[in-house]
Amino acid sequence: MNDTKYTIVFQPSGLRGKVDAGSTILNAARELGVSLESVCGGKGACGKCKVRIEEGEYRKYGIKSSVAATTTVDEVNSKYLSKQQLKQNYRLACQTKIVGDVVVFVPEESRKGQQVVRKEATARKIKLNPAVKKYYVELKPATLDDTTGDFERLAAALKSKYELTNLVLDYPVLLKLQNTVRQGKWNVTVSVWQDCEIVDVEAGEIKQSYGLAVDIGTTTVAGYLCELNTGNILATESMMNPQVAYGEDVMSRIGYATKEKDGLKKLNDAIIKGLNQIIRDITKRTGIKQDNIIDMAVVGNTCIHHLFLKIDPQYLGKAPFPPAIHHSVNVKARDLGLNIGDGAYVHVLPNEAGFVGADNVGVLIAEEPYKQDKMLLIIDIGTNGELILGNRNKLMSSSCATGPAFEGAEIRHGMRAAAGAIEKLKIERGTFDVEFKVIGNDKWNTEDKNIGARGICGSGIFDAAAQMFLTGLIDKSGRINMKIKSPRLRFDEGGIAEFVIAWAKETAINHDIVICQKDIRAIQLAKSAMYSGAKIMMDKMGVKKIDKVILAGAFGSYIDKASAATIGLFPDCGIGCVQAVGNAAGDGARIALLNKNKRDEADIWARRVEYVELTLEPNFNKYFTKALAFPHAEDKFPSLAGLLPEM
Ligand code: FES
């Protein structure tokens, strides 16, 4: 890279600016805030960052644009772009460098849809014992006969009224103590963290106390503003994780943090900025002052945990994958740059091992498998799949890379759960007609001729695989049966079999939405990883049958249980024994915010749960190969009898 800069203009947004010669179009889009998909984080492995280089003179911008103003990696482009698209100057933005002034068109399908963030809190009974409690005291005013310092006066009053001893005072509280005491006419309310540190002081008697529970997912972030005395959720705010712009999955973010200049800082800034936005929005909506948020609890997987705390994540990316810390962390919000109460702490739940981090611990304390007799399998399907198996006798956990396919990446017309994504579908036996629904529309395609599908998201992908299997469109091995006569079945220009889910006229992207043979393969790889993980843990624990499957994670609430069981996402259990519990990780953050005893429980169980590193398991490959079949090459599924096709 040299000092030369070139003008780049993105259309249709019109966003433009000067970028360094040799920057990729994807990096230019990131710098200029252009919405452009980059599911694989710019590795040339997803094909979602498709753009068109415009040719011609653009007087308005004072530039001449030409494909010659770019250089690209042909082999990678031709993996994802048809010959015709290449001729029309379509390129992958992450593989194309800028070597001259250029105008770039971002087609509809490459623009990031606003993801529908599905992280509603679930109704749970939570025992209240917050880490921060408020205490009201009436102090004796200072006199010439009693010149005790304000803090000592306060400490003595707290000792005599509440038996609080050995309290320390946080520095910002010290700075405002004198004025606050006098403003309240010697009557004040103090907020005490863990019965040991005064983290706030307010004039007069204040009863309400506020805290924020935060679930930082790889893709989405949710904040729950709670009243600490009642446990009530006053408001929920969510957003896409702003780090998505630097890589969709944890590995690409680790790569960005360790290889790019200021990578860790950029990723950390992005999430802190995002959280401050949530804090701003949530307080504005409720009329509560940001300063009055006096405690915060956070969950996230190990990589997210490190990036949030600005810890170098490089060692998480290589064997033996140790985190910087297992134990929970308490850090001042101000040290992280979070705009809540000056003295407030942020409690970050503990990590287990590998990528199984504080989010999984959140699930643990929410679902409490360690208090149950039944053998539970908890599946948290996020961008990374996490599994917990066990009961009060023993617990195991593991994680596997399932996310990309289930969340729409690696799938030809896959997309996130955004407006226009096919989220539900049925295929009719015999005719192979497809009925589908898209996010943001209550009607089926058969009822709404202008349904405008844009792609297919995770829950739709589950349905597509299950329905294609049940109707014989794919066999047990996952091969598309091209002997079936249907206009929906065909080969693409590269000779790959595909099935049309939505005709071009039913879409907003002007071409058919298909599921192709490669997509089925990607689904098989993802579901097989999940199934094999469960089987390996069952073997290790000597468990023959699971009593209950819990689908945690917001995504788990939207997938069809029957579709998940049909494709063999988990060993046979009976659809009636499958329960979706919503965003259990977020609930775990809320529980930790509202009950300090659960923080201790989290630290204990994070160390007690036995982590299984699946990639090191000698049987993993054997299990994985067998679990590729629908629903499995050997295992029986008696509870699906009558539903599955005879093989
Ligand atoms: Fe370019 Fe994935 S191929 S971001």
Side-chain angles (χ1 to χ4, degrees), residues 26 37-50 76 80 92-95:
L26 177 63
E37 283 288 6
S38 60
V39 174
C40 69
K43 288 197 298 245
C46 71
K48 301 289 178 203
C49 60
K50 202 191 308 167
V76 187
Y80 296 100
L92 295 180
C94 68
Q95 301 300 309

Side-chain angles (χ1 to χ4, degrees), residues 154 216 221 325 364 609:
L154 178 62
I216 311 177
V221 184
I325 183 166
L364 270 180
V609 59

